[in-house]
Amino acid sequence: MRTKVVAGNWKMNKTLPEALQLTAELLTRLENHQVKNIEVVIIPPFPYLIPVSEKIQSSVLRLGAQNCSEHPWGAYTGEVSAPMLKSVGVQYVIIGHSERRQYFGEEGTKLAQKVDAVLANQLHPIFCCGEPLIVRGDGRHFDLVKLQIEEALFHLPAEALLKTIIAYEPVWAIGTGKTATPEQAQEMHAFIREQLTLKYGAAVAQQVRILYGGSVNAGNAKALFACADVDGGLVGGASLKAGEFFEIIQAAAQ
Ligand code: PEP
């Protein structure tokens, strides 16, 4: 039985007071309604990691970061490394988000190195894969997703893969309000798990959590999370509202 994960990617949003208010509102809901058997991760911008970390101490919330360098230290102005994130209480790091791929040219070997950096610091990568609309239109979406996971993950030993969470995020569904249907999500998640099975065997593949991301909201979460191979969600826009994010958490906890 895989524990479901709901992770809220705040992207480049909120001021510090707003971020703390969102955290407080979420904590209040979580204290008032027990949610069980679920990992809930909030992923604020870098400057808010320490204050948010202090606020969620001894709560069920876990802390994630949106990116990290492949290097541990050194002359890389503007970068933040996995050891730094670890030292401020981060437990999960998003790697290969489509916005990093699209706007910052991240792909292939670089993403594999980032995954390694995260794992070397006992953190959990949330590795994102997914196809743009044109690729789906051409029927090449399975090939692309296969390539993305092969390039970034298939060098890992099984123990490391088991610490990794995969997020399938079709690019055409991110921030667009267009969600994959539960059938489309399940089809790709089953395909990803099949690739993991071929490489690592069924015992390992059955334990890896595969999240769906792309315009998840309070209205569609339940149907998506009910799919056999969908183990929760990576949520962008809807994670910026405590009430809606909490409804998504509840949908996963059912
Ligand atoms: C994301 O940022 O990973 C995401 C899925 O965003 P949204 O939920 O807004 O589509």
Side-chain angles (χ1 to χ4, degrees), residues 3-253:
T3 303
K4 283 207 165 50
V5 181
V6 172
N9 173 16
W10 296 0
K11 309 194 189 192
M12 197 174 74
N13 289 298
K14 307 266 179 209
T15 61
L16 177 58
E18 288 166 351
L20 292 176
Q21 191 184 336
L22 173 58
T23 308
E25 287 176 7
L26 194 54
L27 283 172
T28 305
R29 284 171 171 80
L30 286 163
E31 276 157 20
N32 292 343
H33 307 80
Q34 268 208 337
V35 284
K36 286 191 183 143
N37 303 324
I38 184 165
E39 286 171 34
V40 184
V41 187
I42 51 174
I43 311 179
F46 287 136
Y48 311 151
L49 287 171
I50 294 173
V52 168
S53 158
E54 285 165 359
K55 218 168 171 66
I56 65 175
Q57 294 273 322
S58 68
S59 83
V60 296
L61 285 178
R62 301 176 184 201
L63 191 63
Q66 297 176 17
N67 180 32
C68 81
S69 170
E70 64 273 37
H71 305 289
W73 309 106
Y76 299 100
T77 301
E79 290 287 273
V80 173
S81 73
M84 293 174 181
L85 295 174
K86 169 117 180 138
S87 76
V88 299
V90 165
Q91 293 162 283
Y92 303 77
V93 186
I94 298 177
I95 298 295
H97 192 282
S98 68
E99 289 151 16
R100 300 292 316 171
R101 293 177 190 264
Q102 188 179 346
Y103 304 128
F104 303 96
E106 295 188 5
E107 58 181 39
T109 312
K110 191 185 184 80
L111 295 180
Q113 290 169 347
K114 287 187 178 217
V115 166
D116 289 345
V118 171
L119 287 163
N121 287 278
Q122 297 79 47
L123 306 174
H124 299 283
I126 301 178
F127 175 75
C128 301
C129 55
E131 79 287 355
L133 190 56
I134 187 163
V135 172
R136 181 165 276 263
D138 291 348
R140 291 181 290 116
H141 43 302
F142 293 113
D143 290 344
L144 180 65
V145 168
K146 182 173 180 225
L147 180 69
Q148 289 172 334
I149 58 174
E150 276 174 358
E151 283 181 339
L153 301 181
F154 277 16
H155 64 289
L156 297 174
E159 313 81 75
L161 184 80
L162 287 170
K163 297 189 178 105
T164 302
I165 296 170
I166 297 174
Y168 168 58
E169 300 207 304
V171 180
W172 46 272
I174 298 180
T176 59
K178 287 186 200 137
T179 316
T181 63
E183 293 74 24
Q184 286 172 320
Q186 170 57 27
E187 185 184 35
M188 183 59 86
H189 283 228
F191 172 78
I192 293 170
R193 204 176 300 287
E194 187 188 331
Q195 301 313 305
L196 300 179
T197 304
L198 291 171
K199 171 78 180 165
Y200 292 96
V204 171
Q206 284 301 323
Q207 293 180 65
V208 176
R209 273 90 59 86
I210 307 175
L211 313 185
Y212 169 78
S215 298
V216 175
N217 59 41
N220 59 31
K222 200 170 169 183
L224 286 161
F225 298 164
C227 298
D229 287 290
V230 176
D231 304 311
L234 180 54
V235 185
S239 72
L240 296 171
K241 292 167 257 167
E244 181 157 22
F245 190 55
F246 185 67
E247 283 185 52
I248 295 169
I249 296 166
Q250 285 183 307

